[in-house]
Amino acid sequence: MGLFNRKNDVATTTAAPQTVNPALAALTGEYTIDPAHSSIGFTVRHAMVTNVRGSFSDHEGTLRLDGSDPSSSTATIDVKIASVDTGIADRDGHLRSGDFFDAEKFPMMTFRSTTAEQLGGEKYRITGDLTIKDVTRPLSIDLEFNGAATDPYGNERVGFEGSAEILRSEWGLTWNAALETGGVMVSDKVKLNFDISAIKSAA
């Protein structure tokens, strides 16, 4: 069951009538991301030899799914930078400082989708604007639709998981330190990870 229409590469003079999948149409509506059952995290190479993983515990967002025109579906995410957690308090404090996110001056990281497309099967790509500090740049997130279900409390849920890679320097996150053996302390490439559960709003 797809959420987003595949874009047509070749225009046709007569549009074929579209049949809306009833199961897909039933997903139409506004959804609120459930932070208790969602995670937004990152992975970055440290000292050229290992990965450090972290997440942001304070985030919120909305999805608007349109079953009749899935390519019109949208997503917004707001992340509070001060909630960064890598499991090491000193490292988290450094990430909040002016060397990295400067959380006091720029408290939020945001994503606003602009387009959506189907890649095949249940795989999709959402493209939008990611803002970190005072820099806004395009970001594409590859997602997999994990399905829809009604939980024991009667909430209608949808689930997605996905990832994207960025160069942190493109958003002004340039701090680093050289290693005596060559290379740098923190890689420029960062993998972003998304695991989203969203609850449908009451009609």
Side-chain angles (χ1 to χ4, degrees), residues 4-191:
F4 304 102
N5 289 334
R6 185 182 297 277
K7 293 181 177 178
N8 293 325
D9 295 326
V10 180
T12 57
T13 55
T14 302
Q18 295 184 350
T19 301
V20 177
N21 183 327
L24 178 60
L27 297 179
T28 296
E30 304 284 340
Y31 292 76
T32 300
I33 292 175
D34 176 10
H37 297 94
S38 302
S39 65
I40 297 175
F42 58 89
T43 305
V44 61
R45 181 76 72 178
H46 177 262
M48 309 294 292
V49 297
T50 191
N51 290 320
V52 168
R53 293 174 174 82
S55 62
F56 297 92
S57 59
D58 193 344
H59 55 82
E60 60 184 23
T62 60
L63 308 176
R64 183 182 182 279
L65 304 184
D66 188 334
S68 298
D69 181 14
S71 63
S72 296
S73 299
T74 61
T76 70
I77 301 174
D78 296 318
V79 176
K80 186 172 291 186
I81 293 297
S83 70
V84 65
D85 182 6
T86 65
I88 303 294
D90 287 346
R91 181 166 58 206
D92 296 343
H94 192 197
L95 289 172
R96 296 184 190 107
S97 76
D99 283 345
F100 285 95
F101 288 108
D102 199 356
E104 185 173 347
K105 185 177 181 181
F106 305 102
M108 301 298 294
M109 172 172 61
T110 65
F111 177 77
R112 300 290 183 268
S113 69
T114 54
T115 62
E117 60 181 310
Q118 184 176 4
L119 303 179
E122 301 297 347
K123 298 184 183 299
Y124 307 90
R125 179 168 292 148
I126 306 298
T127 298
D129 295 323
L130 175 67
T131 300
I132 304 174
K133 300 175 78 170
D134 58 349
V135 179
T136 300
R137 294 181 58 85
L139 173 71
S140 292
I141 305 171
D142 287 343
L143 293 166
E144 183 168 357
F145 177 53
N146 287 339
T150 301
D151 69 22
Y153 303 100
N155 298 311
E156 297 181 56
R157 291 180 178 268
V158 292
F160 298 88
E161 61 181 308
S163 63
E165 287 188 351
I166 67 170
L167 298 179
R168 62 187 178 90
S169 60
E170 294 184 345
W171 278 267
L173 303 173
T174 57
W175 183 91
N176 228 320
L179 302 175
E180 291 184 3
T181 53
V184 292
M185 182 69 74
V186 184
S187 68
D188 191 21
K189 184 170 69 175
V190 179
K191 183 178 180 180

